[in-house]
Amino acid sequence: EPEVTQTPSHQVTQMGQEVILRCVPISNHLYFYWYRQILGQKVEFLVSFYNNEISEKSEIFDDQFSVERPDGSNFTLKIRSTKLEDSAMYFCASSGQFNQPQHFGDGTRLSIL
Amino acid sequence: AQKITQTQPGMFVQEKEAVTLDCTYDTSDQSYGLFWYKQPSSGEMIFLIYQGSYDEQNATEGRYSLNFQKARKSANLVISASQLGDSAMYFCAMRVMNTGFQKLVFGTGTRLLVSP
C-alpha cells in the first residue's frame, strides 16, 4: 500500500540553525499538509499546500517557516532559525481529493538544543 | 471555531472486550468530516475510520465502527474484540471546510490500554 515517507526520523539541531524536513507524499495525491505535535500534546495544523502554493496556514506558521515542492515528488518544511519551542514531532500528510482522508507519514522528531 | 473534545484521557479494557472512545465536536458548518487516528508508542499516525456529515450509515472498518449521532454532535469510536496491539493513543479529528481544504482539527486524545 502506498505510504507517505518522511526523512529524517530524528533530527537534532542547535538553536538558531536552519532545518529542512523532507516528505515524499503518496504519488497521485494533490493536497499536502504539515502538522506538529509537541510532546504529550495534541496534533496541530501548520500549513496546507495545493497546486504549488500555500492554501492555508496557522498562526504557528510564521515567517520562520516555509514549504516547498521542489520537484514532482518531494515536499519540504524549512524552519529558518530554530527555537527551543520548535522541538516537536512534525508530520507530513497527503490526500488525493480534498474530501478524502489524509494519510500521515511516520513523522520527524525534531529536537532543538 | 471548530473544536473537538475527548473527555477520556485514559481508558482500560480487557482483551476481547469492546470499548467506546468518546468524541464530541463543535462546528457551524453543515458539511464536515470526522476521523479517527491511532498513534502507537512508536509515534506514527494511522488512519482508522471516516464519517461524513451527510452519511446516513455509521462507518465501519473491520473491528472499528463509528457511532455517529449528529444531533448530539458526537462521533464515538467503538473497537470490538480488543487486542493487545490496540494499546495506543487515539485521536478524533474533524475536517474543516471553511477554505475548501481539509485542514484537520484534533482532539487531545485518549490513551487506551488493553490488558490480557
Side-chain angles (χ1 to χ4, degrees):
Chain A
E1 184 176 330
E3 58 182 27
V4 177
T5 305
Q6 289 187 244
T7 55
S9 56
H10 192 189
Q11 174 84 43
V12 182
T13 302
Q14 291 285 336
M15 186 172 61
Q17 296 294 307
E18 175 182 286
V19 65
I20 297 175
L21 310 182
R22 303 183 191 279
C23 170
V24 179
I26 295 172
S27 63
N28 61 347
H29 281 188
L30 303 174
Y31 298 82
F32 313 114
Y33 308 83
W34 284 100
Y35 294 83
R36 82 170 185 191
Q37 184 182 30
I38 294 172
L39 187 63
Q41 298 186 21
K42 65 180 178 181
V43 179
E44 301 173 290
F45 168 77
L46 291 178
V47 66
S48 58
F49 192 87
Y50 170 72
N51 200 26
N52 284 319
E53 61 183 21
I54 290 174
S55 49
E56 189 176 2
K57 58 185 180 180
S58 72
E59 294 172 352
I60 303 167
F61 194 88
D62 60 23
D63 292 344
Q64 297 297 319
F65 291 87
S66 62
V67 289
E68 194 176 36
R69 188 156 162 82
D71 52 43
S73 60
N74 290 286
F75 179 51
T76 62
L77 174 69
K78 181 191 291 186
I79 309 174
R80 193 169 65 211
S81 178
T82 50
K83 303 186 277 286
L84 294 176
E85 54 264 37
D86 294 328
S87 294
M89 180 78 98
Y90 288 80
F91 290 103
C92 173
S94 70
S95 66
Q97 298 299 320
F98 77 95
N99 61 347
Q100 289 180 340
Q102 294 176 25
H103 293 270
F104 283 68
D106 288 350
T108 293
R109 183 166 298 283
L110 178 63
S111 301
I112 307 300
L113 304 179
Chain B
Q2 290 76 13
K3 187 177 179 183
I4 291 283
T5 302
Q6 294 180 257
T7 57
Q8 305 156 316
M11 288 286 286
F12 294 90
V13 67
Q14 278 205 309
E15 204 176 4
K16 299 179 186 175
E17 291 186 350
V19 62
T20 298
L21 306 184
D22 294 342
C23 172
T24 58
Y25 60 91
D26 188 21
T27 181
S28 56
D29 292 330
Q30 296 301 308
S31 177
Y32 51 88
L34 297 155
F35 303 79
W36 279 90
Y37 286 85
K38 173 184 178 181
Q39 187 177 43
S41 56
S42 48
E44 69 268 31
M45 294 286 286
I46 303 167
F47 165 71
L48 295 178
I49 196 167
Y50 163 76
Q51 179 87 39
S53 58
Y54 292 118
D55 294 341
E56 294 183 355
Q57 304 266 354
N58 284 345
T60 60
E61 287 286 347
R63 294 185 300 110
Y64 303 109
S65 61
L66 201 152
N67 184 1
F68 181 47
Q69 298 189 42
K70 197 169 181 177
R72 294 185 177 183
K73 293 192 174 180
S74 73
N76 299 338
L77 177 70
V78 180
I79 306 175
S80 63
S82 298
Q83 300 172 356
L84 295 178
D86 293 334
S87 293
M89 279 290 284
Y90 288 81
F91 290 97
C92 181
M94 178 166 58
R95 180 183 69 217
V96 177
M97 296 292 290
N98 56 344
T99 62
F101 299 97
Q102 54 163 336
K103 174 180 78 176
L104 291 176
V105 174
F106 284 83
T108 51
T110 295
R111 184 172 297 282
L112 177 66
L113 184 60
V114 182
S115 60

